[in-house]
Each structure stands twice: as C-alpha cells, then as structure tokens.
C-alpha cells in the first residue's frame, strides 16, 4: 500500500566545511569534514544534537512508527535461553524473561532443580547499558572471573566472584580489551590488556602494545605479572589460553585479521620459555587442545578449507605435522572439544554440518541436525558425557538440544515460544551469477503465498569480509518485516568463510570490488526474477557491511530505494588511524602504501559521493561509544551525503548515546533502533503497517 501523505521536506543543519588537504603519492585529496573526527569538541557535540533532532522529527512524523515499535515489543517479549553448560554439580545458563535489558545468568543443581540467580547484569546500571561480556570458571570451580563492558565500549573491567557464596572478591582489573580469561588451576588467570589510555581520547586513539598478564587471586592489579609483550611491534594483538589439563600456556599473536602466529609454553617444565609453533603471519591457525604432549591445531596452511593437525612442540616444523582431520570440500569453521572428542563444524552452502571425531581423527558420526540452518555450542569438559547445543534458522526459532556424547542422540531440551506462527514463512536458497560469473548463494525468506509479480518490498542484507560467514539466522525484527509482506534476502558474499579461505581472499585487498559486485548482482537478480523492482529494494549492513552499503549506494545509486549503512567503515583512507582500525589493513590494505591507495580511493564511500546525484533514502546509524568503528566515519559520510544529494530522498543520521558497535546493547535500545530503522524502510518503500 502506498503512503498517501508525504512527510515535510527536510531542512538539514548546515555543516561547516574546514577543508584539510592530504597528498597521497602525488594525488591531493581534500577532506572538508575532518573536524568531525574530534568527538570531544563542542562543535561536534552540537552537530550531533542538531542531526539527531532533525532525524527524530522525521521519524516521529511517520504515521505508523509507534505501531511498529509496539508490534516489535510484543514479538520480542518471549523467554530467551542460552544452552546450559555444566561446571561441577551446577548447570549454568542465561535467560532473558522477554524484555529485560540484559540476560541473567542462572544456575541449578540438576536439570530438574529450581534455578537460582548467579549474576544479574541488570543491577549494574539503571538503564541497562552495563553488560556482562565474559565469565570464566577456575579449573576446580572455586572462582568465576568475569568482565563488564559499559555503554557498548570495547573496554572491559574484570572482577572475581566466589562461586560458593556468590560474593565478589576485592579484585578489580581495568583497561582490558580483546581478551580471554584463562585460568591456571584456582590460583589466577591470564588476560590481555592495553596500557592505561588518555581519558579524553580512550574511545578514538589508536590502540597499541597489547600485552598478556597473569593475575593472582586476591592481589591488586599493580602486582600482576607480565607474561608477554612485544615492544618492537605495537600493532599486534595477543591472546593467552591454557589447555584444560593446565599442561600448556598458549599464545595467539595476530598482525591484523588475516594471519596468526602460535606460541606454546610447557607449564610442567620449569624455567622454559615460549616455543614458536606456527610462524606468522601468512596463514590462519588456532589451538584446539592438547593430546598429551602434542598440540592439536586448526590451520589453513596448504589447506584453504582448513584441516586439523597434531604438532610436537619439540619439533614444530611443518614437515613433522601429522594430519588428524584432513581438509574436506566443505569449509571448516571451528573445532571444539567435549567428552574426549573433537567436534568439527563445517559449512555446506552456508549451512552448518557437524562431525564428531576421536582425538586421533577417526570419524565417529555426523551429528543429525533439523535441517538447513545454524548450530553452535558443541562441547564441554573432558569428563562430560553430555552437552547442549543451539539450532535455529530464518523461520525456525532457537531450539536447545541435549546431546549424548556416547550414543550421538540429540533430544529437544527447550524451544523458544515465539509470538507468531513459524509455519507462515518459508525459506529458499538460490544461486546467482556475479559480474565475473562466480556463483553466489542467497537465502530468501517470505510469507507463504508470496507472488513474484515484481512488486514485493525486499530487504537485502550482507557482510562480505573478515572470514565472517552469513549463515541462517533468527531475527525478530527481520521476521516482522516479512510478516508485513516483505522478502528478507541474505547473501553469502565473497570475503566471508562460507567456502573457505579462497572465498575470503576473493573479497579482500585489491579484490574487494568483488564483494560489491556480488551484492549489486544479487539486487539485479531479484529484479530480473520478478521478486521486486528498484523502487521496492532496501539495502542494509553493519560495520564492514556498512562499508558494503556505502560502496553499493555510491556505485549504483539508481539500484536501491533505501540504504541503511550501520556503524560503517566509510573513510577508507583514514580507518587505520583510530583504535583497532590498524588491524584491518591485512583485509583492506592501507592508504599509507602507494600500491593500495588508488584502489581504496576508488571505492571509499566517503570519497565517492558526488554532488548532483540522487541517492537512495538513507538512514546512517552509529553511536557515541563505538570504539571499534569510530563514529567519525558515519559523521563525515552523512555530512557529505546531505551536501551532495540532489534528489528528494531523505538523508539522515541516527546517533545513539551510551551505546557502541552493537555488543551489550540493552533490549530497550535494540527495540528503539529496530523500530526507527524498519519504520524508515517501510515508509520509503511505500509500505504501510497492516
């Protein structure tokens, strides 16, 4: 149904231009909105306030916005559970009653016992903006270390809880980021942190010198022992892990996001240092477990789809590796452990397949799953004879299954009681040719009875990078869109891991344009196939997917009616200068290198906006505490888009407060954002709330 009443014409704030010109190897590039990179300036704060005022005035004028939010809240209001895991006599699980801002961690003795609250993050802040990020139990279960993130920032604080009493100890650790909490018995744990940052620039300044420390329970952080640092390479990240038997301390060192180096220390041998197990940084490798004196490692060395090998720390060279699980035609995503077995998680055309193996590699069985979908959570401790995993798909609400390690039997343990009938929807998987002929998969979810008359509203979603696969997911907000007559289209673009490292490499560095070509080809396929037309087509993506939206809407502004770039990487010439952006150079390249500059400049969304072009109706979203992709990317892109757009479509930016890149966002904020985004999409696609 077409909306009959147009909204008032937009009067955008006038954004001052203070041009700064950089010389990139003889090419001069002018940046008129560099001043918006200073998120602490009063001018930037005033700009944010003015932009939010205009955006909220527009959104509040959409006649069905309140009804959309009310419906989303109704759909959201059902109990949500995580898979239980066992530690000693206790089963632990997260539960959100429905609209709680943060899920609560419960525990119970036995599966039939009455649960009790172990940790309630909702008590950390009145508005729900403090979130539990990580909880790790000591080897014997005496203590639980946990981290808290506030307002969506990547910065974390760590604390320790006595499991028996539920009371916190006095330990407080600050300035943790990108860290695990890996215990050595009950004595203490290893963690990663950065030096104490400057308070004013802690959300934007480049992160350098990631280091590993050991914290002993009951001591101040100032007495923590430095375990590993690399003063010669400040732009590396390092994670520490202990094997379940505490035999080995393992380090994963990353130089960006596309290569790892593995080191190991035998804790049973006194006064030994770290041994280089896998040199970096040409391949990806990850520790799985130890098998006695040998280490099991997942690697793509000579195996683009990954394999599992056994490595002797005393002879770590590749010539001495023993293949445990050979490479398959499907892409291996992860390997977990539990009950004395390995669980290899693969993707078959972006859908999960899981195989149980012995530690020597013998195949025990394929684990039967309900259908085409996504399954996760396989594994536990060595002594476990059971564990729980979660399965879901686009119209299959999350279901938790109990798995018997010995028999291989999966039994439904708990399913989500959602506020709609999943049988009203169906999903197809189609394959379409991209610009260069590459076959690309896409999932289409719609209401049963959908007619391919070329007039269906479509929401097209993708990511395309960093080896992150786009597998079937379950989303209340996207099903709301489908419930209203839309088609949700999710594309497995190159750059992800759906088909292994070759698929990833085909969408990175100087081949990044393949990702945008894939998405543009998906849109053209949907139009040619009479699913929709260009006036009924919306494009959405976040983070690297926000870059995707920005590149597609600047390259083909005629193809999309609506664009929703969320927390996107929009300035490809300066991303490496902020927080952890330097780590993406291995994925994108760097404007500091002449061989990369021209390519990046050629597709950078911020730099490829052109005056006099009619762009899609655009709602840019970001948040003031996003220290992953700093909000300056979105600020500058929105300012230039408003200045350049020649058509009648609105070009707005929504800037959330006390929120970050997306992690830990309270339910109330999630629903508010979803209501604004879907109201904007529906209105500009000519839809009306039923």
């Amino acid at each position: 149904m077409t909306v009959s009443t147009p909204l008032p014409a937009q009067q955008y704030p006038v954004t001052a231009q203070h041009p700064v010109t950089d010389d990139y190897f003889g090419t001069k590039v002018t940046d008129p909105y560099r001043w918006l990179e200073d998120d602490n300036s009063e001018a930037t704060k005033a700009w944010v306030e003015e932009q939010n005022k205009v955006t909220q005035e527009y959104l509040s004028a959409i006649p069905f916005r309140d009804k959309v939010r009310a419906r989303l809240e109704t759909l959201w209001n059902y109990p949500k559970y995580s898979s239980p895991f066992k530690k000693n006599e206790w089963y632990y699980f997260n539960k959100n009653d429905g609209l709680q801002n943060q899920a609560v961690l419960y525990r119970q003795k036995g599966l039939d016992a009455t649960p009790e609250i172990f940790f309630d993050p909702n008590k950390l802040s009145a508005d729900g903006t403090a979130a539990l990020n990580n909880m790790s139990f000591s080897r014997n279960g005496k203590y639980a270390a946990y981290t808290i993130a506030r307002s969506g920032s990547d910065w974390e604080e760590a604390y320790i809880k006595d499991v028996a009493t539920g009371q916190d100890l006095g330990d407080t650790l600050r300035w943790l980021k990108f860290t695990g909490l890996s215990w050595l018995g009950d004595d203490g744990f290893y963690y990663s942190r950065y030096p104490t940052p400057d308070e004013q620039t802690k959300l934007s300044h480049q992160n350098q010198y990631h280091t590993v420390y050991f914290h002993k329970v009951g001591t101040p952080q100032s007495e923590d022992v430095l375990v590993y640092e690399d003063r010669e390479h400040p732009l590396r990240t390092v994670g520490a892990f202990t094997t379940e038997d505490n035999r080995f301390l393992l380090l994963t060192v990353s130089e960006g996001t596309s290569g790892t180096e593995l080191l190991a220390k035998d804790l049973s041998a006194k006064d030994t240092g770290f041994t280089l197990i896998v040199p970096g940084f040409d391949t990806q490798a990850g520790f799985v477990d130890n098998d006695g004196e040998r280490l099991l490692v997942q690697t793509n060395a000579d195996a683009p789809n990954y394999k599992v090998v056994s490595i002797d720390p005393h002879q770590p060279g590749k010539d001495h590796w023993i293949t445990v699980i050979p490479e398959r035609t499907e892409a291996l995503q992860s390997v977990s452990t539990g009950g004395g077995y390995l669980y290899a998680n693969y993707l078959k055309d972006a859908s999960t397949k899981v195989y149980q193996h012995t530690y020597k590699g013998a195949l025990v069985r394929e684990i039967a799953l309900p259908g085409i979908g996504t399954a996760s959570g396989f594994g536990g401790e060595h002594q476990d004879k059971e564990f729980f995993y979660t399965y879901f798909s686009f119209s299959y609400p999350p279901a938790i299954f109990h798995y018997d390690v010995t028999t291989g039997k999966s039994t439904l343990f708990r399913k989500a009681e959602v506020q709609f009938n999943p049988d009203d929807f169906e999903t197809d998987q189609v394959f379409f040719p991209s610009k260069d002929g590459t076959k690309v998969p896409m999932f289409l979810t719609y209401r049963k009875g959908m007619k391919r008359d070329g007039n269906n509203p479509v929401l097209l979603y993708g990511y395309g990078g960093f080896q992150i696969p786009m597998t079937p997911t379950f989303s209340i907000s996207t099903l709301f869109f489908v419930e209203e007559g839309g088609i949700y289209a999710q594309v497995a673009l190159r750059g992800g891991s759906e088909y292994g490292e070759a698929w990833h490499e085909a969408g990175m560095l100087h081949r990044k344009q393949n990702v945008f070509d894939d998405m543009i080809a998906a849109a053209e396929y949907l139009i040619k196939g009479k699913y929709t037309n260009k006036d009924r087509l919306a494009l959405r993506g976040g983070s690297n997917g926000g870059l995707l939206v920005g590149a597609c809407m600047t390259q083909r502004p005629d193809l999309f009616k609506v664009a929703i770039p969320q927390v996107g990487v929009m300035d490809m010439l300066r991303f490496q200068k902020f927080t952890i952006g330097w780590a993406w150079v291995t994925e994108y390249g760097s404007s500091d290198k002449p061989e990369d500059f021209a390519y990046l400049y050629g597709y950078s969304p911020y730099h490829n906006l052109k005056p006099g072009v009619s762009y899609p109706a655009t709602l840019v979203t970001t948040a003031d505490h996003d220290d992953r992709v700093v909000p300056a990317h979105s600020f500058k892109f929105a300012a230039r888009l408003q200045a350049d757009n020649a058509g009648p479509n609105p070009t707005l930016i929504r800037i959330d407060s006390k929120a970050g890149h997306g992690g830990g966002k309270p339910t109330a904020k999630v629903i508010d954002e979803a209501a604004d985004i879907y109201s904007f999409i529906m209105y500009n696609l000519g839809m009306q709330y039923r």
Side-chain angles (χ1 to χ4, degrees), residues 228-292:
Y228 179 87
E229 68 174 344
D230 185 347
R231 303 301 298 179
E232 295 182 1
H233 302 95
L235 302 184
R236 288 180 180 174
T237 55
V238 56
F241 312 91
T242 50
T243 53
E244 190 174 329
D245 62 4
N246 274 184
R247 170 73 182 271
F248 291 98
L249 171 62
L250 313 165
L251 298 180
T252 299
V253 183
S254 300
E255 191 170 75
T257 58
S258 295
T260 49
E261 186 169 75
L262 305 185
L263 299 94
K265 182 177 183 178
D266 189 341
L267 297 176
S268 68
K270 294 183 178 180
D271 302 323
T272 60
F274 287 99
T275 299
L276 182 61
I277 303 300
V278 178
F281 295 90
D282 295 330
T283 61
Q284 288 277 25
F287 287 110
V288 176
D289 198 1
N290 66 308
D291 184 12

Coordinates of all heavy atoms in Angstrom, one line a residue, residues 228-292:
Y228 N 53.8 -11.6 28.6 CA 54.3 -11.4 27.2 C 54.0 -10.0 26.7 O 53.0 -9.4 26.9 CB 53.5 -12.4 26.2 CG 53.9 -12.3 24.8 CD1 54.9 -13.0 24.3 CD2 53.2 -11.4 23.9 CE1 55.3 -12.9 22.9 CE2 53.5 -11.3 22.6 CZ 54.6 -12.1 22.1 OH 55.0 -12.0 20.8
E229 N 55.0 -9.4 26.1 CA 54.9 -8.2 25.4 C 55.8 -8.2 24.2 O 56.8 -8.9 24.1 CB 55.2 -7.0 26.3 CG 56.7 -6.9 26.7 CD 57.0 -5.6 27.5 OE1 56.1 -4.7 27.5 OE2 58.0 -5.6 28.2
D230 N 55.5 -7.3 23.2 CA 56.4 -7.1 22.0 C 56.5 -5.6 21.8 O 55.6 -5.0 21.1 CB 55.7 -7.9 20.8 CG 56.6 -7.8 19.6 OD1 57.6 -7.1 19.6 OD2 56.3 -8.6 18.6
R231 N 57.5 -5.1 22.3 CA 57.7 -3.6 22.2 C 58.1 -3.2 20.7 O 58.0 -2.0 20.4 CB 58.8 -3.1 23.1 CG 58.5 -3.5 24.6 CD 57.3 -2.9 25.1 NE 57.3 -1.4 25.0 CZ 56.2 -0.6 25.4 NH1 55.1 -1.2 25.8 NH2 56.3 0.7 25.4
E232 N 58.6 -4.2 19.9 CA 59.0 -3.8 18.6 C 57.8 -3.8 17.6 O 58.0 -3.3 16.5 CB 60.1 -4.8 18.1 CG 61.4 -4.8 18.9 CD 62.4 -5.8 18.3 OE1 62.1 -6.4 17.3 OE2 63.5 -5.8 18.9
H233 N 56.7 -4.4 18.0 CA 55.5 -4.5 17.1 C 54.3 -4.0 17.9 O 53.5 -4.9 18.4 CB 55.4 -5.9 16.6 CG 56.5 -6.4 15.8 ND1 57.5 -7.2 16.4 CD2 56.9 -6.2 14.5 CE1 58.4 -7.5 15.4 NE2 58.1 -6.9 14.3
P234 N 54.1 -2.7 18.0 CA 53.0 -2.2 18.8 C 51.6 -2.5 18.2 O 50.6 -2.6 19.0 CB 53.2 -0.7 18.9 CG 54.0 -0.4 17.6 CD 54.9 -1.6 17.5
L235 N 51.5 -2.8 16.9 CA 50.2 -3.0 16.3 C 50.0 -4.5 16.1 O 49.8 -5.0 15.0 CB 50.2 -2.3 15.0 CG 50.4 -0.8 15.1 CD1 50.2 -0.1 13.7 CD2 49.4 -0.1 16.1
R236 N 50.1 -5.3 17.2 CA 49.7 -6.7 17.2 C 48.8 -6.9 18.4 O 48.9 -6.2 19.4 CB 50.9 -7.6 17.2 CG 51.7 -7.6 15.9 CD 53.0 -8.5 16.0 NE 53.7 -8.5 14.8 CZ 54.9 -9.1 14.6 NH1 55.4 -9.8 15.6 NH2 55.5 -9.1 13.4
T237 N 48.0 -7.9 18.3 CA 47.1 -8.4 19.4 C 47.5 -9.8 19.8 O 48.0 -10.6 19.0 CB 45.6 -8.4 19.0 OG1 45.4 -9.2 17.9 CG2 45.1 -6.9 18.8
V238 N 47.4 -10.1 21.1 CA 47.8 -11.3 21.6 C 46.8 -11.9 22.6 O 46.3 -11.1 23.4 CB 49.2 -11.2 22.2 CG1 49.3 -10.2 23.3 CG2 49.7 -12.6 22.7
G239 N 46.5 -13.2 22.5 CA 45.6 -13.8 23.4 C 46.2 -15.0 24.1 O 47.1 -15.7 23.4
A240 N 45.9 -15.2 25.3 CA 46.5 -16.3 26.1 C 45.5 -17.4 26.4 O 44.4 -17.0 26.8 CB 47.2 -15.8 27.3
F241 N 45.8 -18.6 26.3 CA 44.9 -19.7 26.6 C 45.7 -20.8 27.3 O 46.8 -21.1 27.0 CB 44.3 -20.3 25.3 CG 43.8 -19.2 24.4 CD1 44.6 -18.7 23.4 CD2 42.5 -18.8 24.5 CE1 44.1 -17.7 22.5 CE2 42.0 -17.8 23.6 CZ 42.8 -17.3 22.7
T242 N 45.0 -21.5 28.3 CA 45.6 -22.6 28.9 C 44.8 -23.9 28.5 O 43.6 -23.8 28.3 CB 45.6 -22.5 30.4 OG1 44.2 -22.2 30.9 CG2 46.6 -21.5 30.9
T243 N 45.5 -25.0 28.3 CA 44.8 -26.2 28.0 C 44.0 -26.7 29.2 O 44.3 -26.3 30.4 CB 45.8 -27.3 27.5 OG1 46.8 -27.4 28.5 CG2 46.4 -26.9 26.2
E244 N 43.0 -27.5 29.0 CA 42.2 -27.9 30.1 C 42.9 -28.6 31.2 O 42.6 -28.5 32.4 CB 41.0 -28.8 29.6 CG 39.9 -29.1 30.6 CD 38.8 -29.9 30.0 OE1 38.5 -29.7 28.8 OE2 38.2 -30.6 30.8
D245 N 44.0 -29.3 30.9 CA 44.8 -30.0 31.9 C 45.9 -29.1 32.5 O 46.7 -29.6 33.3 CB 45.4 -31.3 31.3 CG 46.4 -31.0 30.2 OD1 46.6 -29.9 29.8 OD2 46.9 -32.0 29.6
N246 N 45.9 -27.8 32.0 CA 46.9 -26.9 32.5 C 48.3 -27.3 32.2 O 49.3 -26.7 32.8 CB 46.8 -26.6 34.0 CG 45.7 -25.6 34.4 OD1 45.6 -25.2 35.5 ND2 45.0 -25.1 33.4
R247 N 48.5 -28.1 31.2 CA 49.8 -28.5 30.8 C 50.5 -27.4 30.0 O 51.7 -27.2 30.2 CB 49.7 -29.8 29.9 CG 51.0 -30.2 29.2 CD 52.0 -30.8 30.2 NE 53.3 -31.1 29.5 CZ 53.5 -32.3 29.0 NH1 52.6 -33.3 29.0 NH2 54.7 -32.6 28.4
F248 N 49.8 -26.7 29.1 CA 50.4 -25.8 28.2 C 49.7 -24.4 28.4 O 48.5 -24.3 28.6 CB 50.2 -26.2 26.8 CG 51.0 -27.4 26.4 CD1 50.5 -28.6 26.3 CD2 52.4 -27.2 26.1 CE1 51.2 -29.7 26.0 CE2 53.2 -28.3 25.7 CZ 52.6 -29.6 25.7
L249 N 50.5 -23.4 28.3 CA 50.1 -22.0 28.1 C 50.3 -21.6 26.6 O 51.5 -21.8 26.1 CB 50.8 -21.0 29.0 CG 50.6 -19.5 28.7 CD1 49.1 -19.1 29.0 CD2 51.5 -18.7 29.6
L250 N 49.3 -21.2 25.9 CA 49.4 -21.0 24.5 C 49.1 -19.5 24.2 O 48.2 -18.9 24.8 CB 48.3 -21.8 23.8 CG 48.3 -23.3 24.3 CD1 47.0 -24.0 23.8 CD2 49.5 -24.0 23.8
L251 N 49.8 -19.0 23.2 CA 49.6 -17.6 22.8 C 49.3 -17.5 21.3 O 49.9 -18.2 20.5 CB 50.9 -16.8 23.0 CG 51.4 -16.6 24.5 CD1 52.7 -15.8 24.5 CD2 50.4 -16.0 25.4
T252 N 48.2 -16.8 21.0 CA 47.9 -16.5 19.6 C 48.2 -15.0 19.3 O 47.6 -14.1 19.9 CB 46.4 -16.8 19.4 OG1 46.1 -18.2 19.6 CG2 46.0 -16.5 17.9
V253 N 49.1 -14.8 18.5 CA 49.5 -13.4 18.1 C 49.0 -13.1 16.7 O 49.2 -13.9 15.8 CB 51.1 -13.3 18.1 CG1 51.5 -11.8 17.8 CG2 51.6 -13.7 19.5
S254 N 48.4 -12.0 16.6 CA 47.8 -11.6 15.3 C 48.3 -10.3 14.8 O 48.5 -9.3 15.6 CB 46.2 -11.5 15.5 OG 45.6 -12.7 15.9
E255 N 48.6 -10.2 13.6 CA 49.1 -9.0 12.9 C 47.9 -8.6 12.0 O 48.0 -9.0 10.8 CB 50.4 -9.2 12.2 CG 51.0 -7.9 11.8 CD 52.4 -8.1 11.3 OE1 52.6 -8.7 10.2 OE2 53.4 -7.8 12.0
G256 N 46.9 -8.0 12.5 CA 45.7 -7.7 11.7 C 44.7 -8.8 11.9 O 44.7 -9.5 12.9
T257 N 43.9 -9.1 10.8 CA 42.8 -10.1 11.0 C 43.0 -11.2 10.0 O 42.1 -12.1 10.0 CB 41.5 -9.4 10.7 OG1 41.5 -8.8 9.4 CG2 41.2 -8.3 11.7
S258 N 44.1 -11.3 9.3 CA 44.2 -12.4 8.3 C 45.5 -13.2 8.5 O 45.9 -13.8 7.5 CB 44.2 -11.7 6.9 OG 43.0 -11.1 6.6
G259 N 46.1 -13.3 9.6 CA 47.2 -14.1 9.9 C 47.5 -14.2 11.3 O 47.3 -13.3 12.1
T260 N 47.9 -15.4 11.8 CA 48.2 -15.7 13.2 C 49.5 -16.4 13.3 O 50.0 -17.1 12.5 CB 47.1 -16.5 13.8 OG1 46.9 -17.7 13.0 CG2 45.8 -15.7 14.0
E261 N 50.1 -16.2 14.5 CA 51.3 -16.9 14.9 C 51.0 -17.6 16.3 O 50.4 -17.0 17.1 CB 52.5 -15.9 15.1 CG 53.8 -16.4 15.4 CD 54.9 -15.4 15.3 OE1 55.0 -14.5 16.2 OE2 55.6 -15.4 14.3
L262 N 51.4 -18.8 16.4 CA 51.2 -19.6 17.6 C 52.4 -19.9 18.4 O 53.4 -20.3 17.8 CB 50.4 -20.9 17.3 CG 49.2 -20.8 16.4 CD1 48.5 -22.2 16.3 CD2 48.2 -19.8 17.0
L263 N 52.4 -19.6 19.7 CA 53.5 -20.0 20.6 C 53.0 -20.8 21.7 O 51.8 -20.7 22.1 CB 54.1 -18.7 21.2 CG 54.7 -17.7 20.1 CD1 53.7 -16.6 19.8 CD2 56.0 -17.1 20.7
A264 N 53.8 -21.6 22.3 CA 53.4 -22.5 23.4 C 54.5 -22.6 24.5 O 55.7 -22.5 24.2 CB 53.1 -23.9 22.9
K265 N 54.1 -22.7 25.7 CA 55.0 -22.9 26.8 C 54.5 -24.1 27.6 O 53.3 -24.2 28.0 CB 55.0 -21.7 27.7 CG 55.9 -21.7 28.9 CD 55.9 -20.4 29.7 CE 56.9 -20.4 30.8 NZ 56.9 -19.1 31.5
D266 N 55.4 -25.0 27.9 CA 55.1 -26.2 28.7 C 55.2 -25.9 30.2 O 56.3 -25.7 30.7 CB 56.0 -27.4 28.3 CG 55.6 -28.7 28.9 OD1 54.8 -28.7 29.9 OD2 56.1 -29.7 28.5
L267 N 54.0 -25.8 30.8 CA 54.0 -25.3 32.2 C 54.5 -26.4 33.2 O 54.7 -26.2 34.3 CB 52.6 -24.9 32.6 CG 52.1 -23.6 31.8 CD1 50.6 -23.4 32.2 CD2 52.9 -22.4 32.1
S268 N 54.6 -27.7 32.7 CA 55.0 -28.7 33.5 C 56.6 -28.8 33.6 O 57.1 -29.5 34.5 CB 54.5 -30.1 33.0 OG 55.2 -30.4 31.7
A269 N 57.2 -28.0 32.7 CA 58.7 -28.0 32.7 C 59.1 -26.6 33.3 O 58.7 -25.6 32.7 CB 59.2 -28.2 31.3
K270 N 59.9 -26.6 34.3 CA 60.2 -25.3 34.9 C 61.2 -24.5 34.1 O 62.1 -25.1 33.4 CB 60.8 -25.6 36.3 CG 59.8 -26.1 37.3 CD 60.5 -26.3 38.7 CE 59.4 -26.9 39.7 NZ 60.0 -27.0 41.0
D271 N 61.1 -23.2 34.2 CA 62.1 -22.3 33.6 C 62.2 -22.4 32.0 O 63.3 -22.3 31.5 CB 63.5 -22.5 34.2 CG 63.4 -22.2 35.7 OD1 62.7 -21.3 36.1 OD2 64.1 -23.0 36.4
T272 N 61.1 -22.8 31.4 CA 61.1 -22.8 29.9 C 60.4 -21.6 29.4 O 59.4 -21.2 30.0 CB 60.5 -24.1 29.4 OG1 59.1 -24.2 29.9 CG2 61.2 -25.3 29.9
G273 N 60.8 -21.2 28.2 CA 60.2 -20.1 27.6 C 59.1 -20.5 26.6 O 58.8 -21.7 26.5
F274 N 58.7 -19.6 25.7 CA 57.7 -19.9 24.7 C 58.4 -20.5 23.5 O 59.5 -20.0 23.1 CB 56.9 -18.7 24.3 CG 55.9 -18.3 25.3 CD1 56.2 -17.3 26.2 CD2 54.7 -18.9 25.4 CE1 55.3 -16.9 27.2 CE2 53.8 -18.6 26.4 CZ 54.1 -17.5 27.2
T275 N 57.8 -21.5 22.8 CA 58.3 -22.1 21.6 C 57.4 -21.6 20.5 O 56.1 -21.7 20.6 CB 58.3 -23.6 21.7 OG1 59.1 -24.0 22.7 CG2 58.7 -24.2 20.4
L276 N 58.0 -21.2 19.4 CA 57.2 -20.8 18.2 C 56.7 -22.1 17.5 O 57.4 -22.9 17.0 CB 58.0 -20.0 17.2 CG 57.3 -19.5 16.0 CD1 56.2 -18.6 16.3 CD2 58.3 -18.8 15.0
I277 N 55.3 -22.3 17.5 CA 54.7 -23.5 17.0 C 54.3 -23.3 15.5 O 54.6 -24.1 14.7 CB 53.5 -23.9 17.8 CG1 53.9 -24.1 19.3 CG2 52.8 -25.1 17.2 CD1 54.9 -25.2 19.5
V278 N 53.7 -22.2 15.2 CA 53.3 -21.8 13.8 C 53.8 -20.4 13.6 O 53.3 -19.5 14.3 CB 51.8 -22.0 13.6 CG1 51.5 -21.5 12.1 CG2 51.3 -23.4 13.9
P279 N 54.7 -20.2 12.7 CA 55.2 -18.8 12.4 C 54.1 -18.0 11.7 O 53.3 -18.5 11.0 CB 56.5 -19.0 11.6 CG 56.2 -20.3 10.9 CD 55.4 -21.2 11.9
G280 N 54.2 -16.7 11.9 CA 53.2 -15.8 11.3 C 53.9 -15.0 10.1 O 55.1 -15.0 10.0
F281 N 53.0 -14.4 9.3 CA 51.5 -14.3 9.5 C 50.8 -14.6 8.2 O 49.8 -14.0 7.8 CB 51.2 -12.8 10.0 CG 51.8 -12.6 11.3 CD1 53.1 -12.0 11.5 CD2 51.1 -12.9 12.5 CE1 53.6 -11.8 12.8 CE2 51.6 -12.6 13.7 CZ 52.8 -12.1 13.9
D282 N 51.4 -15.6 7.5 CA 50.8 -15.9 6.2 C 49.6 -16.8 6.2 O 48.9 -17.0 5.2 CB 51.9 -16.5 5.3 CG 53.1 -15.5 5.0 OD1 52.8 -14.3 5.0 OD2 54.2 -16.0 4.9
T283 N 49.4 -17.5 7.3 CA 48.3 -18.4 7.5 C 47.5 -18.1 8.7 O 48.0 -17.5 9.6 CB 48.8 -19.9 7.5 OG1 49.6 -20.1 8.7 CG2 49.6 -20.2 6.3
Q284 N 46.3 -18.7 8.8 CA 45.5 -18.7 10.0 C 45.6 -20.0 10.7 O 45.6 -21.0 10.1 CB 44.0 -18.4 9.6 CG 43.7 -17.1 9.1 CD 43.5 -16.1 10.2 OE1 43.9 -16.2 11.3 NE2 42.7 -15.0 9.9
A285 N 45.8 -19.9 12.0 CA 45.9 -21.1 12.8 C 45.2 -20.8 14.2 O 45.3 -19.7 14.7 CB 47.3 -21.5 13.0
G286 N 44.7 -21.9 14.8 CA 44.1 -21.7 16.1 C 44.2 -23.0 16.9 O 44.1 -24.1 16.4
F287 N 44.6 -22.8 18.2 CA 44.7 -24.0 19.1 C 43.3 -24.7 19.3 O 42.3 -24.0 19.5 CB 45.3 -23.6 20.4 CG 46.8 -23.3 20.3 CD1 47.2 -22.0 20.5 CD2 47.7 -24.3 20.1 CE1 48.5 -21.6 20.4 CE2 49.1 -23.9 20.0 CZ 49.5 -22.6 20.2
V288 N 43.3 -26.0 19.3 CA 42.1 -26.7 19.6 C 42.3 -27.3 21.0 O 41.4 -27.1 21.9 CB 41.9 -27.9 18.6 CG1 40.7 -28.7 19.0 CG2 41.7 -27.3 17.2
D289 N 43.3 -28.1 21.3 CA 43.5 -28.7 22.6 C 44.9 -29.4 22.5 O 45.6 -29.4 21.5 CB 42.4 -29.8 22.9 CG 42.3 -30.1 24.3 OD1 43.1 -29.6 25.2 OD2 41.5 -31.0 24.7
N290 N 45.3 -30.0 23.6 CA 46.5 -30.8 23.6 C 46.1 -32.3 23.7 O 45.0 -32.6 24.3 CB 47.5 -30.5 24.7 CG 46.9 -30.8 26.1 OD1 45.9 -30.4 26.4 ND2 47.7 -31.5 26.9
D291 N 46.8 -33.1 23.0 CA 46.6 -34.6 23.1 C 47.9 -35.1 23.8 O 48.8 -35.5 23.1 CB 46.4 -35.2 21.7 CG 46.1 -36.7 21.8 OD1 45.8 -37.2 22.9 OD2 46.1 -37.3 20.7
G292 N 47.9 -35.1 25.1 CA 49.1 -35.5 25.8 C 50.2 -34.4 25.6 O 50.0 -33.2 25.9

